[in-house]
Amino acid sequence: MTVVTEIESEVRSYCRIWPTVFSAAQGSRLTDESGREYLDFFSGAGALNYGHNHPHLKAALLDYLEQDAVVHSLDMSTTAKRRFLERFQEVVLEPRSLDYRVQFPGPTGTNAVEAALKLARKVTGREQAISFTNAFHGMTLGALAVTGNSMKRSGAGVPLGHASVMPYCEYMEDGDTLDYLELILADSGSGVDEPAAVIVETTQGEGGLKTASDTWLQRLAGICREHGMLLIVDDIQMGCGRTGPFFSFERAGIVPDLVCLSKSLSGYGLPMAVTLIRPDLDVWEPGEHNGTFRGFNPAFVTATAALDLWEGTDLPAEVDAKAETIERVLLGMIATGADGADTRGRGLAQGLVFDDPELTSRVVAEAFDRGLIIETSGPLGEVAKLMPPIVISDADLEEGLAIFADAVSAAVAWAGK
Ligand SMILES: Cc1ncc(COP(=O)(O)O)c(C=O)c1O
């Protein structure tokens, strides 16, 4: 670790929480260079929904590389890009009766968000974006302006503008928070300029696993239509099956104007992002938004192979069943010792929230000592967050949950002493 602590910038974070050097990974397990195995309930912050080195994706990738096929291509046409677009249409869009143009922005989530915000401003001729309390949309300036976390925001070093924050679902204990949004939009004296767009996560992956109800999302979609604001769903962390369906908003039956996807889209941890655009909103000039790494063909290849996993299987039902197991175990833990904790999240993004964030950090450390990788979520890191691969076996899920329960007991005992 010495070279890491001496040479890598102070900005590093995960290597501080998990102080070991990882050298191999397969499925839901990581191995460090001493040979110690860890169950991975972090999944690359949602970039590894299909686990590490999935054999079907790996075979497609190795086969592609063996052929000396094109690796880098900006947005030139390649066989890999064409195949991805064909399969995305066939497997994802058509069966859901969704009609979107696919934009490849730069390869990370924040690029997909920047593209969506820029396009919404261009289409509507308005500047403001509405975001929600505890949202997380990325680190570049436009995405940071619609992100809630004060520590991340302060890193910008310049004012973050052209965005107004509204209360997320159930932010206040009483009432529907969308009453407030409607009030503000209807009041020409509210001080909020007519917004170009509303950007929302269905479950807040970084902001504490708070989840918007289906009825809240439906009402939000209606308010957007009424006020000529584009609805952007940031499905970067909750998409690609993390909460069951391919798109996390499917259950609410809403159709966003713009959708941001990244993280598990390539399925292999390779960088790739898309911004999906309602066709009539695709008013970009050629090259008006670009980026050198838009066309990373190995990611197109693994993304195409990952779509095969959605055919002939019922991944949403599998996720639902595993989610029920997690919920049952978490509720059992609350009933038998983790007093004062509460459950958060949905699907395979669930966790326990504790009053004391120090206790949550302790849970993460105790889990690591016992061979389980988990991280925290929430403005104070108060939520212990469980995000196993969505294809995890029942045996690995049970094993990881048992370790988690032990880690919570140990942390609770530590806090009580
Ligand atoms: C919901 C959401 N949006 C955007 C991002 C930013 O993605 P990236 O880190 O790839 O830029 C993240 C990353 O955690 C995210 O969870």
Side-chain angles (χ1 to χ4, degrees):
M1 287 293 274
T2 326
V3 69
V4 174
T5 50
E6 282 177 2
I7 294 191
E8 192 179 352
S9 159
E10 290 301 321
V11 79
R12 67 189 187 277
S13 60
Y14 290 121
C15 53
R16 297 177 195 266
I17 315 171
W18 306 310
T20 190
V21 179
F22 297 102
S23 55
Q26 174 46 235
S28 43
R29 287 173 194 264
L30 276 160
T31 308
D32 72 12
E33 45 180 17
S34 77
R36 177 153 197 227
E37 265 196 8
Y38 299 81
L39 270 168
D40 183 359
F41 277 30
F42 167 60
S43 298
L48 292 164
N49 283 4
Y50 313 108
H52 295 271
N53 291 307
H54 191 288
H56 179 63
L57 279 61
K58 182 163 134 187
L61 178 62
L62 291 177
D63 183 48
Y64 187 78
L65 295 176
E66 266 305 315
Q67 295 169 34
D68 276 345
V70 177
V71 170
H72 178 268
S73 58
L74 290 121
D75 68 357
M76 293 185 278
S77 295
T78 61
T79 50
K81 179 168 95 171
R82 181 177 62 200
R83 188 73 189 129
F84 169 72
L85 287 170
E86 284 167 357
R87 290 291 285 156
F88 191 68
Q89 180 85 355
E90 255 168 44
V91 179
V92 176
L93 297 182
E94 274 170 8
R96 292 166 180 79
S97 304
L98 291 171
D99 190 9
Y100 287 119
R101 294 278 183 87
V102 179
Q103 177 182 358
F104 297 106
T108 66
T110 200
N111 295 127
V113 170
E114 292 292 341
L117 292 170
K118 276 168 78 169
L119 186 61
R121 289 177 171 129
K122 179 171 166 133
V123 167
T124 59
R126 303 177 183 175
E127 289 178 358
Q128 284 298 306
I130 299 274
S131 62
F132 291 99
T133 46
N134 290 304
F136 184 87
H137 297 292
M139 287 291 104
T140 49
L141 289 184
L144 199 50
V146 288
T147 288
N149 187 291
S150 58
M151 189 269 272
K152 307 276 193 236
R153 288 175 66 88
S154 67
V158 293
L160 295 167
H162 310 295
S164 306
V165 65
M166 294 288 149
Y168 191 65
C169 185
E170 292 179 5
Y171 186 68
M172 281 95 78
E173 273 183 13
D174 295 323
D176 185 337
T177 54
L178 292 177
D179 290 346
Y180 179 71
L181 174 61
E182 284 213 300
L183 203 62
I184 293 287
L185 292 172
D187 180 0
S188 61
S190 68
V192 174
D193 298 330
E194 279 192 322
V198 171
I199 182 161
V200 68
E201 298 156 271
T202 58
T203 292
Q204 297 184 315
E206 301 300 303
L209 295 182
K210 290 182 185 145
T211 297
S213 69
D214 291 348
T215 49
W216 190 89
L217 288 170
Q218 287 154 6
R219 185 173 172 203
L220 179 63
I223 295 172
C224 285
R225 271 194 303 277
E226 199 182 318
H227 290 271
M229 310 180 294
L230 302 186
L231 176 61
I232 306 170
V233 171
D234 177 346
D235 231 5
I236 288 165
Q237 189 161 154
M238 292 303 143
C240 303
R242 176 52 57 194
T243 65
F246 187 86
F247 294 110
S248 69
F249 54 80
E250 285 175 50
R251 286 205 169 120
I254 58 168
V255 181
D257 301 301
L258 298 158
V259 181
C260 303
L261 280 182
S262 181
K263 290 204 190 259
S264 279
L265 182 61
S266 81
Y268 206 72
L270 298 179
M272 178 173 174
V274 295
T275 305
L276 304 179
I277 305 170
R278 209 179 77 198
D280 59 300
L281 304 176
D282 189 14
V283 299
W284 288 119
E285 294 295 327
E288 192 178 359
H289 185 89
N290 66 17
T292 306
F293 289 105
R294 281 170 296 163
F296 181 48
N297 290 272
F300 293 153
V301 168
T302 55
T304 306
L307 294 178
D308 296 342
L309 307 180
W310 288 85
E311 280 187 324
T313 54
D314 194 349
L315 270 183
E318 284 179 35
V319 169
D320 284 350
K322 289 169 196 168
E324 267 178 41
T325 304
I326 296 181
E327 199 183 346
R328 179 173 39 77
V329 171
L330 294 183
L331 289 172
M333 287 166 57
I334 293 171
T336 59
D339 265 358
D342 202 357
T343 55
R344 284 271 180 87
R346 150 191 282 199
L348 294 187
Q350 295 190 56
L352 282 183
V353 58
F354 297 94
D355 292 340
D356 175 8
E358 264 189 54
L359 174 57
T360 316
S361 301
R362 185 76 188 197
V363 171
V364 170
E366 297 281 356
F368 178 74
D369 286 350
R370 290 165 174 74
L372 175 70
I373 305 279
I374 54 167
E375 73 160 332
T376 63
S377 174
L380 302 170
E382 68 277 21
V383 179
K385 176 182 178 189
L386 304 176
M387 289 221 307
I390 64 170
V391 296
I392 191 170
S393 67
D394 290 342
D396 280 358
L397 182 63
E398 300 278 356
E399 186 181 332
L401 288 171
I403 299 176
F404 181 61
D406 275 356
V408 170
S409 301
V412 168
W414 164 85
K417 75 180 174 188

